[in-house]
Amino acid sequence: DEMDVDTIWMDGEFQDWDDAQVHVLTHGLHYGTGIFEGVRCYDTADGPAIFRWDAHLDRFYESAKPYEMDIEHDREELTEATMELIRRQDLESCYIRPVAFYGYNSLGVSPKDCPTQVAIACWPWGTYLGEDALQKGVEVMVSSWRKHSSSQIPTNAKTTGLYVNSMLAGEEARRNGYTEAIVLDKEGYVAEGPGENIFMVKDGELYTPALSQSILDGITRQSVIEVARDLGYTVHDQATISRGQLHTADELFFTGTAAEVTPIRQVDNVEIGSGTRGPVTEEIQQTFFDLVEDPSDEYADWFTYV
Ligand SMILES: Cc1[nH+]cc(COP(=O)(O)O)c(CN[C@@H](CCC(=O)O)C(=O)O)c1O
């Protein structure tokens, strides 16, 4: 059914979608000084539920800290606003985008007297990397652009300005006929995707780059680590993965709120394992989707019902 969205919460009020606007001299527009979240609400067996809302809220407030952004709305207000947005628009499942940014006052790199603005929008968002991506996997290339280093910018903060690096890498891949990129860190080790974390399967064990490797501490990454260990897998969650290991991996997959669990079937035209979704990837993907469809008691606290 056509779920149209028409409302955005902005600075404490619900506004019509088209009225939720900012001035062209907004600090965040000129200098990338915004922080944001990507969260999914799933239509579970017991109704719409937001996946790991508390962890996403934690990260939202943490991301603001390096930039001294003062988010003047507390967790309860942001939670209530989000629930109301979902209810008002009859969204059973949706993608939720909270954003905070330095607004309009004076221009100049220092945001000195610019207000911090906050907005939340929700919309239906299907499979992030294409319809058959979840089943068949995607073809990626290793980008010629490297990830910014955590010594140059807080890569653990989900900062809007960081995503020019993601756009450069992702668009380079798509210009070359691939669905997505894999981005190496400045030392040349595997970091993550433009909008996803990455996992490698080798000899039945899972590996994912260390948080020190200039990557975002993904909440889906955290969830997959826990679920995989509960399934009995050994998970090396502070791994260093070289580019060469990408080609000799048995399996590779992306994780992310938007990407969920997406298999990678080729890197730079080299087939990975069987050249399609691998068995470990399939088991973890299936467990993830079963979980968000019908939450089990074990992970009950990962779900905030609308
Ligand atoms: C750079 C990056 N790394 C890892 C992740 C995975 O994090 P998590 O969602 O907490 O598991 C994301 C999420 N990317 C968000 C934005 C996507 C977009 O296109 O915008 C997302 O998946 O919502 C990233 O942007």
Side-chain angles (χ1 to χ4, degrees):
D1 59 319
E2 183 47 47
M3 293 191 275
D4 58 339
V5 284
D6 54 17
T7 308
I8 287 178
W9 182 88
M10 189 161 173
D11 298 325
E13 287 164 24
F14 291 99
Q15 306 212 18
D16 286 347
W17 188 275
D18 296 341
D19 297 343
Q21 301 189 359
V22 294
H23 191 282
V24 71
L25 298 183
T26 290
H27 195 274
L29 178 61
H30 293 246
Y31 303 113
T33 48
I35 57 102
F36 71 104
E37 269 305 321
V39 197
R40 272 193 191 267
C41 172
Y42 283 98
D43 188 13
T44 76
D46 303 324
I50 305 174
F51 184 66
R52 304 212 66 179
W53 177 242
D54 284 333
H56 280 283
L57 267 189
D58 289 344
R59 190 170 67 185
F60 189 65
Y61 287 102
E62 281 174 10
S63 294
K65 287 187 179 151
Y67 309 107
E68 297 178 291
M69 247 177 237
D70 177 18
I71 296 178
E72 293 163 348
H73 306 278
D74 64 17
R75 299 172 76 95
E76 195 181 346
E77 186 181 5
L78 295 186
T79 302
E80 206 27 62
T82 303
M83 300 292 194
E84 180 67 15
L85 269 178
I86 296 170
R87 290 186 199 115
R88 275 187 185 210
Q89 300 177 109
D90 301 323
L91 294 166
E92 290 97 3
S93 66
C94 65
Y95 181 81
I96 305 161
R97 174 54 62 88
V99 61
F101 56 94
Y102 276 118
Y104 169 53
N105 189 290
S106 59
L107 261 198
V109 172
S110 168
K112 49 186 187 303
D113 41 14
C114 292
T116 295
Q117 294 191 250
V118 185
I120 306 172
C122 308
W123 62 84
W125 209 357
T127 312
Y128 186 57
L129 293 172
E131 234 351 88
D132 57 5
L134 295 178
Q135 204 263 321
K136 293 190 188 135
V138 293
E139 298 178 4
V140 305
M141 65 173 262
V142 174
S143 179
S144 65
W145 294 100
R146 295 291 170 80
K147 207 88 192 165
H148 26 249
S149 155
S150 54
S151 63
Q152 296 158 345
I153 189 161
T155 48
N156 57 334
K158 203 168 169 70
T159 312
T160 53
L162 288 179
Y163 287 78
V164 290
N165 175 265
S166 298
M167 192 192 82
L168 287 166
E171 291 310 293
E172 176 191 35
R174 283 180 280 280
R175 269 199 308 275
N176 286 280
Y178 302 92
T179 298
E180 189 57 293
I182 288 177
V183 193
L184 308 180
D185 65 17
K186 71 178 178 27
E187 281 73 34
Y189 294 112
V190 176
E192 57 181 344
E196 313 88 351
N197 289 111
I198 190 165
F199 282 76
M200 174 178 80
V201 180
K202 185 70 178 170
D203 301 332
E205 300 196 357
L206 280 86
Y207 299 78
T208 192
L211 296 183
S212 57
Q213 227 113 317
S214 304
I215 64 169
L216 185 73
D217 183 3
I219 291 164
T220 318
R221 173 185 180 278
Q222 295 166 23
S223 308
V224 162
I225 289 168
E226 190 168 338
V227 165
R229 285 179 174 153
D230 291 346
L231 287 171
Y233 286 105
T234 300
V235 184
H236 306 273
D237 63 357
Q238 299 295 326
T240 299
I241 301 174
S242 69
R243 179 183 175 140
Q245 286 177 287
L246 288 175
H247 299 307
T248 56
D250 295 328
E251 304 176 37
L252 292 172
F253 60 91
F254 283 133
T255 63
T257 297
E260 297 171 304
V261 178
T262 300
I264 296 166
R265 68 166 185 259
Q266 275 188 21
V267 179
D268 300 330
N269 300 339
V270 174
E271 279 203 352
I272 305 301
S274 62
T276 182
R277 177 179 58 189
V280 176
T281 304
E282 182 171 4
E283 183 181 8
I284 289 175
Q285 183 189 64
Q286 195 55 56
T287 306
F288 179 84
F289 283 117
D290 290 349
L291 177 61
V292 297
E293 192 180 307
D294 190 0
S296 64
D297 299 347
E298 198 178 356
Y299 305 103
D301 59 347
W302 282 1
F303 294 85
T304 303
Y305 288 88
V306 177

